[in-house]
Amino acid sequence: MITSDQLHNVLEREQALRGYLDIDGKTIQLEEEELRTQDPVFWEDAKRAEAQMKVVKELKKWIELYNELKAATEELELAYEYVKEGITSEEEVDTIYIKALALVENLESRNMLRQEADQLGCILKINSGAGGTESQDWASMLMRMYIRWGESNNYKVNISNLQEGDEAGIKSVTMQIEGDYAYGYLKGENGVHRLVRVSPYNAQGKRMTSFASVFVTPLVDDSIEIEINPADYTWDTFRSGGAGGQNVNKVETGVRLRYNYKDPDTGETREILIENTESRSQLGNRENAMRLLRSMLYDIALQKKMAEQQKIEAGKKKIEWGSQIRSYVFDDRRVKDHRTNFQTSDVNGVMDGKIDGFIKAYLMEFAAEEAAEK
């Protein structure tokens, strides 16, 4: 059974979260924000009304999450006392403790997501590294891992572009993961992921090392305005490959968007290329490609802002594109993050989408540094 120290630790962390999150202040603010929605002319300005409802929804979510935690800690405290009277078993107390501890850790992690873009969905792109079939297979395994993680967290996951491998796996994939704080949770996945295993594609059964790169950017919504000059982009169309029926194979539904981005600081120009084949209609693919472009431009502006404010200098080298962040060693039953030193022997679980331990470790270490530098 849990000790009194474990009980007090959970209770203290719950009280600390009440202060950090300013639940009392959020409760008062929620009442005020809800009063504004009762104005008879509230819905006349749809855009303003939508923004207001988003504020209300966000406040409610924080309060609900805290209240769920508060109820769990109260139940734990009561159960701990009932053991002494023989009303509750030690096993029941341990079960309640595990639930309360999980709620504490989840809320602590979410409390670390304070950056402007954290609450948005995200675009996650995976590119296979050098190594042919082996690295392409590894890229497909990572794709499955993130899809399973998204599904287990009730996020909507769509594949907007997929390039299949020559023999197996994938060369690259672009996914949209939509839902609250998807970007905040996954931003630490940026970088190179390294696989070490006995390759099923090697006739000699040799141990092989493969690499795949993951790149995560915020997925902008309608509340964020990004100006795009029509003179700066052009369209190409092509036939979408793969399964999908006669329409997909015979009609040019796939779109390729080319955007000439000019750096406002240096004047340097470079091309941003986006391909989209998600929809069976060209119009749908065009709309989604523009959304992806807006997201990329938003991310560029966001990274510039963060660099200027020097908020992420402490962790910059550890999350930049091209850095090796995590190793998955199948033979040794070990997955280790090289930035936080968090590791687990549950390789199968990780590949099945159970990566919350890595996400929490990253947020608790690096998001805390960002908050301290504010």
Side-chain angles (χ1 to χ4, degrees):
M1 192 180 110
I2 66 169
T3 65
S4 59
D5 286 343
Q6 288 175 303
L7 172 64
H8 291 145
N9 175 260
V10 169
L11 296 177
E12 287 173 1
R13 288 162 73 180
E14 174 261 308
Q15 280 300 306
L17 280 166
R18 184 183 186 97
Y20 293 148
L21 299 174
D22 189 20
I23 295 300
D24 296 334
K26 279 184 170 61
T27 302
I28 295 171
Q29 185 185 354
L30 176 61
E31 293 175 358
E32 294 173 348
E33 300 294 351
E34 286 183 324
L35 278 175
R36 292 189 176 92
T37 67
Q38 296 173 16
D39 189 323
V41 298
F42 177 72
W43 289 105
E44 289 183 5
D45 187 338
K47 194 168 184 179
R48 185 178 68 85
E50 186 178 346
Q52 179 67 18
M53 293 306 296
K54 189 174 180 180
V55 171
V56 170
K57 179 183 175 182
E58 183 70 7
L59 288 169
K60 279 185 176 179
K61 187 64 176 178
W62 282 111
I63 294 170
E64 288 170 0
L65 287 171
Y66 173 75
N67 286 340
E68 183 183 10
L69 169 59
K70 180 65 175 175
T73 55
E74 288 177 348
E75 182 184 9
L76 175 62
E77 195 171 17
L78 198 59
Y80 190 82
E81 292 298 321
Y82 280 168
V83 167
K84 301 173 184 177
E85 301 174 21
I87 300 174
T88 305
S89 69
E90 294 184 356
E91 290 76 14
E92 288 175 312
V93 174
D94 288 340
T95 299
I96 297 170
Y97 169 75
I98 291 171
K99 176 187 174 183
L101 183 62
L103 290 172
V104 166
E105 291 179 345
N106 286 334
L107 198 50
E108 285 175 341
S109 295
R110 188 160 179 151
N111 184 42
M112 293 294 101
L113 302 178
R114 302 176 184 176
Q115 300 302 311
E116 182 180 6
D118 285 344
Q119 62 183 314
L120 300 174
C122 73
I123 302 165
L124 189 147
K125 185 172 184 178
I126 303 170
N127 290 320
S128 62
T133 301
E134 177 69 17
S135 64
Q136 290 167 15
D137 187 47
W138 173 227
S140 70
M141 293 166 69
L142 286 175
M143 177 180 72
R144 178 184 179 276
M145 181 182 80
Y146 290 118
I147 289 174
R148 295 300 298 272
W149 178 85
E151 291 172 346
S152 67
N153 286 277
N154 297 317
Y155 287 122
K156 181 181 178 182
V157 182
N158 287 323
I159 295 176
S160 55
N161 192 49
L162 174 68
Q163 294 185 23
E164 296 182 353
D166 298 323
E167 298 178 17
I170 61 170
K171 292 180 179 178
S172 69
V173 65
T174 302
M175 300 186 293
Q176 293 175 221
I177 303 177
E178 300 185 54
D180 293 343
Y181 292 92
Y183 174 71
Y185 286 124
L186 291 178
K187 63 183 180 181
E189 296 299 297
N190 265 329
V192 173
H193 295 242
R194 170 177 172 259
L195 168 68
V196 180
R197 68 170 176 175
V198 175
S199 173
Y201 302 101
N202 185 282
Q204 288 76 39
K206 290 183 178 179
R207 206 180 199 212
M208 304 285 288
T209 300
S210 305
F211 298 91
S213 299
V214 175
F215 188 47
V216 185
T217 57
L219 181 63
V220 299
D221 56 24
D222 293 336
S223 66
I224 297 173
E225 295 185 4
I226 303 292
E227 291 186 10
I228 299 176
N229 188 343
D232 293 333
Y233 64 82
T234 59
W235 293 99
D236 296 325
T237 58
F238 58 92
R239 294 183 183 180
S240 301
Q246 294 180 346
N247 180 60
V248 171
N249 294 319
K250 293 185 178 181
V251 182
E252 291 189 335
T253 57
V255 299
R256 186 178 293 113
L257 173 60
R258 300 179 186 275
Y259 178 78
N260 290 319
Y261 171 75
K262 184 176 182 180
D263 191 304
D265 299 324
T266 66
E268 181 183 351
T269 301
R270 65 183 175 90
E271 183 181 76
I272 295 176
L273 178 64
I274 296 173
E275 292 185 348
N276 199 85
T277 57
E278 177 187 357
S279 173
R280 294 191 179 188
S281 74
Q282 189 182 115
L283 178 61
N285 285 327
R286 280 177 177 258
E287 290 176 349
N288 201 49
M290 286 300 295
R291 187 183 185 193
L292 294 176
L293 176 61
R294 291 173 60 232
S295 295
M296 292 185 69
L297 294 177
Y298 175 72
D299 184 59
I300 291 171
L302 181 66
Q303 294 304 322
K304 279 181 172 290
K305 180 180 178 182
M306 292 173 77
E308 289 167 3
Q309 297 176 348
Q310 296 182 340
K311 289 183 177 179
I312 57 170
E313 287 303 316
K316 183 183 273 186
K317 291 182 180 179
K318 300 186 181 182
I319 64 173
E320 66 186 357
W321 175 255
S323 63
Q324 182 177 302
I325 66 163
R326 192 175 302 147
S327 290
Y328 305 70
V329 186
F330 283 13
D331 296 355
D332 297 341
R333 311 298 303 168
R334 175 171 53 88
V335 182
K336 180 178 180 179
D337 195 294
H338 303 297
R339 302 160 300 178
T340 63
N341 289 322
F342 180 88
Q343 61 182 327
T344 178
S345 60
D346 186 14
V347 174
N348 291 336
V350 169
M351 299 316 301
D352 207 31
K354 296 179 181 178
I355 58 173
D356 285 342
F358 294 99
I359 291 172
K360 290 175 185 175
Y362 176 85
L363 290 177
M364 295 304 287
E365 183 167 344
F366 294 105
E369 289 180 10
E370 291 179 19
E373 293 173 11
K374 270 192 171 182

